[in-house]
Amino acid sequence: MYTTVMAWQRTLLYRDGTLERVLEPGRHRYDDKRCTLIVVDMRPRLLTVSGQELLTRDGLALRVSYAMNWQVTTPEQFTTGAQYPEQVLYAAVQDAARRAVAGHTLDELVADRGLLVGDLVEIATAVTGLGVRVDGVTARDLMLPGELRRAALETVLAKERGRAELERARAEAAALRSLANTARLLEEHPALLRLRTLQVAATPGVQVVLDPRERA
């Protein structure tokens, strides 16, 4: 009987329960009565670790989800190294994440998301013998408890209100400085006031009432 191995696959050929060889991409002939084939996909894979509840160094709980990129490098080890190799990978990410988060405070983790990810060397060591390569781990979602989310929102709102009040105060101070400068200029040069009055009077629809008591 014949079997075809695709470019992204490797096929383990077992004869009478013993690994005989690894079939490379191409067409191969084998004895289907004595041989068993196990196909291994060699393409890069993505393992998603759903939200884990972790404790920070300052004793606060948060939930973080992770994504790990990995790939099979040695198909025979991947097949025999563990019954469920992906579960071993999953647990390795969990353990590394717990240690990473426990080593930092919440403020540090929020300021630098990179601290949420454990050491890749640590994860690679934990999966030694599985015949895989870990290419990267990223923290996807950081979820704070409800009380912390509300506190963080209140802090942001307070900062924005403070910034708005500061801008309003600056605008009022600028307007007062402008009025003071104008008053001082008119006091020093009275002719400017008469000139401004004539400008306003020339505006259509504007009525100017002159006080006869005012000295020319």
Side-chain angles (χ1 to χ4, degrees):
M1 183 171 288
Y2 291 89
T3 184
T4 299
V5 181
M6 307 302 291
W8 60 86
Q9 297 174 334
R10 298 295 181 272
T11 298
L12 306 180
L13 189 149
Y14 285 85
R15 183 182 297 273
D16 299 330
T18 301
L19 178 63
E20 184 173 281
R21 68 182 189 276
V22 179
L23 304 181
E24 298 292 328
R27 185 173 174 80
H28 303 270
R29 184 175 180 179
Y30 70 100
D31 183 356
D32 63 329
K33 295 180 180 179
R34 299 182 57 189
C35 296
T36 301
L37 303 180
I38 298 179
V39 179
V40 179
D41 194 317
M42 304 295 290
R43 290 174 291 186
R45 309 188 195 191
L46 178 67
L47 175 66
T48 300
V49 180
S50 58
Q52 306 294 303
E53 186 165 312
L54 308 171
L55 288 177
T56 64
R57 191 175 65 193
D58 45 356
L60 297 174
L62 52 84
R63 295 181 67 84
V64 189
S65 62
Y66 293 88
M68 180 174 68
N69 296 301
W70 63 283
Q71 186 172 7
V72 176
T73 56
T74 310
E76 52 269 40
Q77 285 186 350
F78 181 72
T79 304
T80 60
Q83 183 178 9
Y84 302 108
E86 292 196 24
Q87 291 185 4
V88 178
L89 289 167
Y90 194 100
V93 175
Q94 284 183 313
D95 293 340
R98 286 194 188 96
R99 283 188 283 271
V101 172
H104 299 89
T105 64
L106 178 63
D107 289 341
E108 293 172 342
L109 295 170
V110 172
D112 184 1
R113 292 290 187 94
L115 298 177
L116 292 167
V117 180
D119 191 349
L120 283 183
V121 175
E122 177 185 346
I123 297 175
T125 301
V127 299
T128 299
L130 289 185
V132 301
R133 182 183 71 243
V134 178
D135 295 322
V137 179
T138 57
R140 282 190 164 178
D141 300 314
L142 171 60
M143 295 155 281
L144 301 177
E147 293 182 358
L148 289 179
R149 285 200 302 271
R150 287 191 292 272
L153 179 59
E154 290 175 0
T155 300
V156 172
L157 291 176
K159 288 181 179 178
E160 291 301 323
R161 283 194 293 266
R163 187 177 293 111
E165 291 295 334
L166 179 60
E167 291 300 323
R168 188 178 299 110
R170 287 175 177 173
E172 290 177 354
L176 289 175
R177 283 196 301 269
S178 178
L179 289 174
N181 292 335
T182 301
R184 185 170 59 253
L185 186 62
L186 293 176
E187 184 179 358
E188 295 174 354
H189 305 280
L192 292 176
L193 179 58
R194 291 193 291 272
L195 178 61
R196 179 58 179 160
T197 302
L198 292 175
Q199 289 177 337
V200 173
T203 304
V206 174
Q207 183 178 6
V208 177
V209 179
L210 299 177
D211 188 347
R213 296 171 297 175
E214 183 180 358
R215 292 182 181 180

